[in-house]
Amino acid sequence: MTSRERLLCAMRCGTPDRVPAGSFTLGCIDPSSDFGRQFIARTDSIHSPGAGFSFFGASAEMAHEDEGNGVTRVTLRGPKGDLVWRHRRTDITSACIEFPCKTAGDIDRLLAVPFEPNDPTIEGYRSECERFGDDLLVMPGIPNAVCLAADTFAPEDFCLLWAMDPVAMGELLAVANERLVEFTRRAVGAGMECLRIIGGEYVTVQLGPRAVEPLLSRFDTVLCDAIHEHGGLAYYHCHGPIMDFLADLRDLGIDALDPLEAPPWGDCDLAKAKEILAGRTCIVGNLDDMEVLEKYTEEEIRGIGRERIRQAGPDGFILGGTASGTFTERGARGFMTLVEVSEEYARGTAG
């Protein structure tokens, strides 16, 4: 099997020729370098460019202004008033320091902005598929509906909106999901065979179990159905403690789930997770890019990799990282070591 075939087989909860092992994104590795080409050819990795979706559409009037001191002001023009984001970048990182919405009353201004659907980046997707061939899986990413609220309200205000005005939150997400579903149908219909959905952790980590049904189940099931209409695969991303949410996430209709972090960074029990997901959802991840693959010795990584495959089995499992996208050559070599472990199991020679 090629890496692409192996990954797709596992995501359909099948049993490939061996357990796929690789990274989500190429981290800090230059794909055009000698080592980058070696890494891509050796591992079963996933490359995730954007699918091109925008909650604000193709006609939104966005103005960018440099305020100095690393701060950029972004203004979204609207008939009921402008909405403003302010982002700050330092030598180390960047963050949003002002969000455009503060209360439920701002949702009306947000939704009053004229919306014209934007097109999926199909040509860019096809170009990336041609560039990498079957050596990896090109899987564009899209947000889920809750991302609109999480991107336009500060974290505290986002949580307060859910606590104080859940009806307004639901109305905002309904509009967001309507736009997403229409875009997704066009994207998968045009050839994007597998989409990665992000945003679940805004609910599971920040809002808690009571928000799962009204904010995830209500909308993400429809989004997954839209992906499946044209035979696509719905790959779901959700950081944080996961065991109490696995059945709910499974029932969204997702085909694969990452990163299912192991203790002490998460709470995933692989054997129990496999039982809950019951052949309906592929497990992806369970090894920390930065804390394990970047720091542990090759032999330690081999031992952990063997244990993970013993726990999860040969079907519906992709042995990977935590989707950090920040690993270096050392972490990349750790992924390559995991491929060797997977090959040992396929040959029946694992220690």
Side-chain angles (χ1 to χ4, degrees), residues 1 25 49-50 120 122 132 152 165 210 213 224-225 268 288 297 320 342 349 351:
M1 281 183 162
T25 82
I122 297 298
F132 293 108
T152 52
D165 201 337
R210 291 179 60 184
E213 193 284 325
C224 289
D225 286 345
C268 180
D288 192 286
T297 66
S342 174
T349 60

Side-chain angles (χ1 to χ4, degrees), residues 120-190:
T121 53
I122 297 298
E123 292 307 314
Y125 168 73
R126 290 172 180 163
S127 176
E128 292 296 273
C129 289
E130 292 175 3
R131 176 188 182 192
F132 293 108
D134 288 339
D135 283 342
L136 53 68
L137 177 65
V138 179
M139 182 171 59
I142 57 172
N144 66 359
V146 79
C147 283
L148 177 56
D151 287 345
T152 52
F153 286 85
E156 181 178 358
D157 293 331
F158 169 73
C159 294
L160 287 172
L161 177 65
W162 165 243
M164 304 299 291
D165 201 337
V167 172
M169 175 81 91
E171 291 173 348
L172 176 61
L173 268 58
V175 173
N177 205 57
E178 181 180 350
R179 296 174 182 180
L180 265 167
V181 167
E182 188 275 336
F183 174 91
T184 298
R185 287 194 175 110
R186 289 189 290 121
V188 181

